[in-house]
Amino acid sequence: MTQSTLVDSPASTTTATPSRRARSSPRTALRRADYERAFDVLEDCDGSPSLPDFREQLVEALHQRFGLKHVSFFVGATFHNIFGDLAPVTEGHTARMLPEYQERWSRYDVFGTPAAMRQLVSSGVSSLSELRALGALPASANAYVRHFLQATWGMESAAAMRLELPGGHTALVGMFDTAPDRLSPQDLATLRALSRQLSAIARGLPVSRPKAALAGLSERQRQVVQLVADGLSNAQIAETLSLAEDSVKKYVSRILSATGCQSRMELALLARSRG
Protein backbone atom coordinates (compact mmCIF):
# COMPACT_ATOMS: atom_id res chain seq x y z
CA MET A 1 0.00 0.00 0.00
CA THR A 2 1.42 3.39 -0.99
CA GLN A 3 0.31 6.96 -0.56
CA SER A 4 -0.17 7.26 -4.32
CA THR A 5 -2.56 4.30 -4.17
CA LEU A 6 -4.77 6.22 -1.80
CA VAL A 7 -4.56 9.47 -3.74
CA ASP A 8 -5.28 7.94 -7.15
CA SER A 9 -8.14 5.68 -6.17
CA PRO A 10 -11.44 6.45 -7.95
CA ALA A 11 -13.21 6.48 -4.60
CA SER A 12 -11.30 9.64 -3.66
CA THR A 13 -12.83 11.60 -6.54
CA THR A 14 -16.34 12.06 -7.82
CA THR A 15 -18.12 11.60 -11.13
CA ALA A 16 -21.07 13.82 -10.28
CA THR A 17 -22.25 16.36 -12.83
CA PRO A 18 -19.98 19.44 -13.11
CA SER A 19 -22.60 21.81 -11.71
CA ARG A 20 -22.79 19.84 -8.47
CA ARG A 21 -19.31 18.43 -8.27
CA ALA A 22 -17.68 21.16 -6.21
CA ARG A 23 -20.47 21.28 -3.67
CA SER A 24 -21.19 17.56 -3.31
CA SER A 25 -17.69 16.21 -2.65
CA PRO A 26 -14.97 18.84 -3.03
CA ARG A 27 -11.42 17.63 -3.63
CA THR A 28 -9.46 18.16 -0.42
CA ALA A 29 -5.72 17.59 -0.35
CA LEU A 30 -4.65 15.02 2.20
CA ARG A 31 -1.98 15.95 4.73
CA ARG A 32 0.71 13.69 6.16
CA ALA A 33 -1.39 13.12 9.28
CA ASP A 34 -4.35 12.08 7.11
CA TYR A 35 -2.24 9.49 5.29
CA GLU A 36 -0.96 8.15 8.59
CA ARG A 37 -4.47 7.85 9.95
CA ALA A 38 -5.64 6.10 6.78
CA PHE A 39 -2.80 3.58 6.91
CA ASP A 40 -3.52 2.94 10.59
CA VAL A 41 -7.11 2.02 9.72
CA LEU A 42 -5.95 -0.26 6.90
CA GLU A 43 -3.49 -1.98 9.19
CA ASP A 44 -6.21 -2.44 11.82
CA CYS A 45 -8.43 -4.20 9.28
CA ASP A 46 -5.99 -5.93 6.95
CA GLY A 47 -5.52 -8.99 9.15
CA SER A 48 -9.24 -9.74 9.51
CA PRO A 49 -9.76 -13.49 9.04
CA SER A 50 -13.42 -13.16 8.03
CA LEU A 51 -16.05 -10.59 7.11
CA PRO A 52 -17.65 -10.59 10.60
CA ASP A 53 -14.22 -9.83 12.09
CA PHE A 54 -13.64 -7.10 9.49
CA ARG A 55 -16.93 -5.43 10.40
CA GLU A 56 -16.04 -5.34 14.08
CA GLN A 57 -12.45 -4.24 13.49
CA LEU A 58 -13.44 -1.41 11.13
CA VAL A 59 -16.00 -0.05 13.59
CA GLU A 60 -13.35 -0.13 16.31
CA ALA A 61 -10.75 1.46 14.00
CA LEU A 62 -13.07 4.36 13.19
CA HIS A 63 -13.58 4.86 16.91
CA GLN A 64 -9.86 4.75 17.68
CA ARG A 65 -8.44 6.60 14.66
CA PHE A 66 -11.22 9.13 13.97
CA GLY A 67 -12.68 9.46 17.46
CA LEU A 68 -16.10 8.41 16.18
CA LYS A 69 -18.12 7.00 19.08
CA HIS A 70 -21.38 6.26 17.27
CA VAL A 71 -20.86 3.94 14.28
CA SER A 72 -22.96 1.30 12.54
CA PHE A 73 -22.12 -1.26 9.84
CA PHE A 74 -25.08 -2.39 7.71
CA VAL A 75 -24.93 -5.06 4.98
CA GLY A 76 -27.29 -5.86 2.12
CA ALA A 77 -27.42 -7.88 -1.08
CA THR A 78 -28.13 -4.60 -2.91
CA PHE A 79 -27.82 -0.95 -1.98
CA HIS A 80 -31.55 -0.58 -1.49
CA ASN A 81 -31.97 -3.39 1.03
CA ILE A 82 -28.97 -2.41 3.17
CA PHE A 83 -31.25 -0.38 5.41
CA GLY A 84 -33.23 -3.50 6.31
CA ASP A 85 -30.23 -5.29 7.85
CA LEU A 86 -31.61 -6.86 11.05
CA ALA A 87 -28.22 -7.56 12.64
CA PRO A 88 -25.85 -4.66 11.96
CA VAL A 89 -22.69 -4.09 13.95
CA THR A 90 -23.26 -1.10 16.24
CA GLU A 91 -21.08 1.04 18.46
CA GLY A 92 -22.06 3.75 20.94
CA HIS A 93 -25.60 5.13 20.74
CA THR A 94 -26.32 3.37 17.44
CA ALA A 95 -27.16 0.22 19.43
CA ARG A 96 -29.87 2.09 21.32
CA MET A 97 -31.04 3.86 18.18
CA LEU A 98 -31.50 0.60 16.28
CA PRO A 99 -34.96 -0.58 17.47
CA GLU A 100 -36.71 2.69 16.60
CA TYR A 101 -34.73 2.99 13.38
CA GLN A 102 -35.78 -0.48 12.23
CA GLU A 103 -39.41 -0.01 13.28
CA ARG A 104 -40.03 3.46 11.87
CA TRP A 105 -37.18 5.21 10.08
CA SER A 106 -35.12 2.81 7.93
CA ARG A 107 -37.13 3.52 4.77
CA TYR A 108 -36.56 7.27 5.19
CA ASP A 109 -32.80 7.20 5.85
CA VAL A 110 -31.18 10.29 4.37
CA PHE A 111 -28.41 8.14 2.89
CA GLY A 112 -30.98 6.23 0.88
CA THR A 113 -31.94 9.31 -1.15
CA PRO A 114 -30.92 9.54 -4.83
CA ALA A 115 -28.46 12.37 -4.13
CA ALA A 116 -26.76 10.37 -1.38
CA MET A 117 -26.66 7.25 -3.52
CA ARG A 118 -24.92 9.17 -6.34
CA GLN A 119 -22.28 10.41 -3.90
CA LEU A 120 -21.78 6.99 -2.35
CA VAL A 121 -21.39 5.25 -5.70
CA SER A 122 -19.12 7.89 -7.22
CA SER A 123 -16.89 8.80 -4.27
CA GLY A 124 -17.53 6.21 -1.58
CA VAL A 125 -18.72 8.72 1.04
CA SER A 126 -21.71 11.01 1.59
CA SER A 127 -22.28 13.42 4.45
CA LEU A 128 -25.34 15.25 5.76
CA SER A 129 -23.61 18.62 5.38
CA GLU A 130 -22.82 17.93 1.70
CA LEU A 131 -26.36 16.77 0.97
CA ARG A 132 -27.78 19.92 2.52
CA ALA A 133 -25.42 22.01 0.40
CA LEU A 134 -27.01 20.48 -2.70
CA GLY A 135 -30.44 21.81 -1.74
CA ALA A 136 -33.47 20.91 0.31
CA LEU A 137 -33.71 17.31 1.46
CA PRO A 138 -36.78 15.25 0.49
CA ALA A 139 -39.52 15.70 3.10
CA SER A 140 -39.25 12.15 4.45
CA ALA A 141 -35.45 12.31 4.73
CA ASN A 142 -35.69 15.73 6.36
CA ALA A 143 -38.11 14.29 8.94
CA TYR A 144 -35.66 11.47 9.62
CA VAL A 145 -32.87 13.97 10.26
CA ARG A 146 -34.89 16.43 12.32
CA HIS A 147 -37.03 14.11 14.41
CA PHE A 148 -34.94 10.97 14.71
CA LEU A 149 -31.27 11.96 14.47
CA GLN A 150 -31.45 15.42 16.00
CA ALA A 151 -34.49 15.71 18.27
CA THR A 152 -34.40 12.19 19.68
CA TRP A 153 -30.68 11.40 19.71
CA GLY A 154 -28.97 14.78 19.40
CA MET A 155 -26.93 13.71 16.36
CA GLU A 156 -26.04 16.88 14.50
CA SER A 157 -23.52 15.41 12.05
CA ALA A 158 -23.78 12.24 9.99
CA ALA A 159 -21.92 10.54 7.17
CA ALA A 160 -21.93 7.18 5.44
CA MET A 161 -19.22 5.18 3.67
CA ARG A 162 -20.09 2.59 1.04
CA LEU A 163 -18.01 -0.58 0.75
CA GLU A 164 -18.10 -3.52 -1.66
CA LEU A 165 -18.32 -6.99 -0.11
CA PRO A 166 -17.97 -10.60 -1.32
CA GLY A 167 -20.63 -11.90 -3.67
CA GLY A 168 -21.57 -8.44 -4.92
CA HIS A 169 -23.04 -7.43 -1.56
CA THR A 170 -22.76 -3.87 -0.29
CA ALA A 171 -22.07 -2.32 3.10
CA LEU A 172 -22.94 1.08 4.48
CA VAL A 173 -20.95 2.34 7.45
CA GLY A 174 -22.85 5.07 9.31
CA MET A 175 -20.94 7.63 11.40
CA PHE A 176 -22.71 10.05 13.75
CA ASP A 177 -21.83 12.71 16.30
CA THR A 178 -23.51 15.29 18.50
CA ALA A 179 -21.20 18.06 17.22
CA PRO A 180 -22.36 19.63 13.93
CA ASP A 181 -18.80 20.03 12.64
CA ARG A 182 -17.43 16.70 13.90
CA LEU A 183 -16.66 15.37 10.41
CA SER A 184 -14.41 17.95 8.77
CA PRO A 185 -13.57 18.14 5.05
CA GLN A 186 -10.24 16.47 5.94
CA ASP A 187 -12.07 13.63 7.67
CA LEU A 188 -14.34 13.10 4.68
CA ALA A 189 -11.46 13.23 2.22
CA THR A 190 -9.56 10.64 4.24
CA LEU A 191 -12.61 8.38 4.39
CA ARG A 192 -13.02 8.70 0.63
CA ALA A 193 -9.41 7.68 0.13
CA LEU A 194 -9.99 4.69 2.42
CA SER A 195 -13.23 3.41 0.92
CA ARG A 196 -11.72 1.76 -2.16
CA GLN A 197 -8.88 0.13 -0.21
CA LEU A 198 -11.23 -1.16 2.48
CA SER A 199 -13.46 -2.62 -0.24
CA ALA A 200 -10.44 -4.43 -1.71
CA ILE A 201 -9.77 -6.02 1.70
CA ALA A 202 -13.40 -6.92 2.36
CA ARG A 203 -14.07 -8.49 -1.06
CA GLY A 204 -11.46 -11.18 -0.46
CA LEU A 205 -12.67 -12.31 2.95
CA PRO A 206 -14.64 -15.46 3.84
CA VAL A 207 -18.21 -14.42 4.62
CA SER A 208 -18.31 -16.36 7.90
CA ARG A 209 -15.95 -17.26 10.70
CA PRO A 210 -16.33 -21.03 10.12
CA LYS A 211 -15.25 -20.58 6.49
CA ALA A 212 -12.27 -18.55 7.64
CA ALA A 213 -11.35 -21.32 10.07
CA LEU A 214 -11.73 -23.89 7.29
CA ALA A 215 -9.27 -21.96 5.14
CA GLY A 216 -6.75 -21.99 8.00
CA LEU A 217 -6.65 -25.78 8.42
CA SER A 218 -3.55 -27.82 7.69
CA GLU A 219 -3.25 -29.81 4.48
CA ARG A 220 -4.01 -33.10 6.29
CA GLN A 221 -7.02 -31.55 8.04
CA ARG A 222 -8.37 -30.30 4.71
CA GLN A 223 -8.03 -33.82 3.30
CA VAL A 224 -10.08 -35.15 6.21
CA VAL A 225 -12.71 -32.44 5.67
CA GLN A 226 -13.01 -33.34 1.98
CA LEU A 227 -13.50 -37.01 2.77
CA VAL A 228 -16.11 -36.14 5.43
CA ALA A 229 -17.88 -34.04 2.80
CA ASP A 230 -17.75 -37.05 0.45
CA GLY A 231 -19.67 -39.04 3.06
CA LEU A 232 -16.91 -41.39 4.21
CA SER A 233 -16.93 -42.87 7.72
CA ASN A 234 -13.97 -42.58 10.08
CA ALA A 235 -12.94 -46.13 9.20
CA GLN A 236 -13.05 -45.37 5.48
CA ILE A 237 -11.10 -42.14 5.95
CA ALA A 238 -8.49 -44.02 7.98
CA GLU A 239 -8.07 -46.56 5.20
CA THR A 240 -7.89 -43.89 2.50
CA LEU A 241 -5.27 -41.81 4.30
CA SER A 242 -3.40 -44.74 5.88
CA LEU A 243 -4.16 -43.51 9.39
CA ALA A 244 -5.36 -45.16 12.56
CA GLU A 245 -9.10 -44.74 13.09
CA ASP A 246 -8.44 -43.10 16.48
CA SER A 247 -6.28 -40.52 14.71
CA VAL A 248 -9.13 -39.74 12.32
CA LYS A 249 -11.48 -39.29 15.26
CA LYS A 250 -9.06 -36.78 16.79
CA TYR A 251 -8.72 -34.95 13.47
CA VAL A 252 -12.49 -34.67 13.09
CA SER A 253 -12.92 -33.51 16.69
CA ARG A 254 -10.28 -30.79 16.31
CA ILE A 255 -11.71 -29.67 12.99
CA LEU A 256 -15.21 -29.37 14.45
CA SER A 257 -13.81 -27.32 17.32
CA ALA A 258 -11.79 -25.06 15.00
CA THR A 259 -14.69 -24.34 12.64
CA GLY A 260 -17.43 -24.13 15.24
CA CYS A 261 -19.43 -26.84 13.48
CA GLN A 262 -21.67 -28.95 15.70
CA SER A 263 -21.73 -32.12 13.59
CA ARG A 264 -20.15 -33.95 10.65
CA MET A 265 -23.17 -32.98 8.57
CA GLU A 266 -22.66 -29.28 9.30
CA LEU A 267 -18.95 -29.63 8.47
CA ALA A 268 -19.80 -31.37 5.20
CA LEU A 269 -22.27 -28.64 4.24
CA LEU A 270 -19.70 -25.98 5.09
CA ALA A 271 -17.06 -27.69 2.96
CA ARG A 272 -19.45 -28.02 0.02
CA SER A 273 -20.61 -24.40 0.26
CA ARG A 274 -16.99 -23.30 0.05
CA GLY A 275 -16.64 -25.13 -3.22
Side-chain angles (χ1 to χ4, degrees), residues 51 55 73-83 85 120-121 161-173 199 203:
L51 186 59
R55 295 174 72 180
F73 193 126
F74 282 66
V75 172
T78 68
F79 180 87
H80 292 289
N81 66 21
I82 288 174
F83 306 97
D85 186 352
L120 289 163
V121 170
M161 177 167 57
R162 176 181 174 271
L163 301 177
E164 297 173 4
L165 303 180
H169 285 51
T170 302
L172 206 61
V173 183
S199 290
R203 283 196 303 266

Side-chain angles (χ1 to χ4, degrees), residues 7-8 12-13 21-22 25-29 189:
V7 172
D8 296 336
S12 65
T13 61
R21 181 174 181 175
S25 54
R27 185 69 176 267
T28 301

Side-chain angles (χ1 to χ4, degrees), residues 47-116:
S48 302
S50 68
L51 186 59
D53 296 289
F54 173 84
R55 295 174 72 180
E56 293 175 0
Q57 289 171 4
L58 178 55
V59 168
E60 178 63 20
L62 292 173
H63 174 57
Q64 295 294 330
R65 309 302 182 181
F66 284 80
L68 294 166
K69 299 179 181 179
H70 315 296
V71 183
S72 60
F73 193 126
F74 282 66
V75 172
T78 68
F79 180 87
H80 292 289
N81 66 21
I82 288 174
F83 306 97
D85 186 352
L86 297 178
V89 174
T90 55
E91 177 75 19
H93 289 340
T94 60
R96 295 166 55 201
M97 295 163 67
L98 188 60
E100 183 183 352
Y101 175 84
Q102 291 174 328
E103 180 180 349
R104 182 177 180 185
W105 296 106
S106 60
R107 73 189 72 176
Y108 307 125
D109 196 308
V110 68
F111 296 114
T113 62

Side-chain angles (χ1 to χ4, degrees), residues 8-246:
D8 296 336
S9 71
S12 65
T13 61
T14 178
T15 56
T17 57
S19 62
R20 291 187 173 184
R21 181 174 181 175
R23 291 187 298 160
S24 61
S25 54
R27 185 69 176 267
T28 301
L30 297 182
R31 305 165 301 191
R32 180 183 180 87
D34 300 321
Y35 285 118
E36 291 175 348
R37 183 166 50 165
F39 287 123
D40 284 341
V41 171
L42 292 175
E43 288 182 0
D44 291 341
C45 299
D46 194 35
S48 302
S50 68
L51 186 59
D53 296 289
F54 173 84
R55 295 174 72 180
E56 293 175 0
Q57 289 171 4
L58 178 55
V59 168
E60 178 63 20
L62 292 173
H63 174 57
Q64 295 294 330
R65 309 302 182 181
F66 284 80
L68 294 166
K69 299 179 181 179
H70 315 296
V71 183
S72 60
F73 193 126
F74 282 66
V75 172
T78 68
F79 180 87
H80 292 289
N81 66 21
I82 288 174
F83 306 97
D85 186 352
L86 297 178
V89 174
T90 55
E91 177 75 19
H93 289 340
T94 60
R96 295 166 55 201
M97 295 163 67
L98 188 60
E100 183 183 352
Y101 175 84
Q102 291 174 328
E103 180 180 349
R104 182 177 180 185
W105 296 106
S106 60
R107 73 189 72 176
Y108 307 125
D109 196 308
V110 68
F111 296 114
T113 62
M117 184 166 61
R118 286 193 293 270
Q119 285 190 328
L120 289 163
V121 170
S122 64
S123 74
V125 172
S126 178
S127 72
L128 178 58
S129 59
E130 291 171 339
L131 292 173
R132 282 173 163 166
L134 292 174
L137 298 175
S140 57
N142 189 52
Y144 162 82
V145 172
R146 291 182 57 198
H147 299 298
F148 178 64
L149 289 184
Q150 295 177 335
T152 303
W153 294 102
M155 298 299 174
E156 296 293 334
S157 61
M161 177 167 57
R162 176 181 174 271
L163 301 177
E164 297 173 4
L165 303 180
H169 285 51
T170 302
L172 206 61
V173 183
M175 297 158 280
F176 309 91
D177 202 273
T178 56
D181 56 351
R182 179 63 187 81
L183 291 161
S184 69
Q186 292 294 147
D187 291 328
L188 297 173
T190 306
L191 291 169
R192 285 192 166 96
L194 273 169
S195 62
R196 180 178 173 85
Q197 308 307 325
L198 289 169
S199 290
I201 293 173
R203 283 196 303 266
L205 293 175
V207 297
S208 69
R209 289 188 172 104
K211 286 190 177 182
L214 200 60
L217 297 178
S218 68
E219 179 62 28
R220 177 62 86 185
Q221 287 174 323
R222 287 196 292 271
Q223 290 174 344
V224 171
V225 170
Q226 185 56 57
L227 294 173
V228 169
D230 290 341
L232 273 66
S233 67
N234 285 348
Q236 292 170 321
I237 294 172
E239 182 179 355
T240 301
L241 298 179
S242 300
L243 294 171
E245 189 172 346
D246 283 345

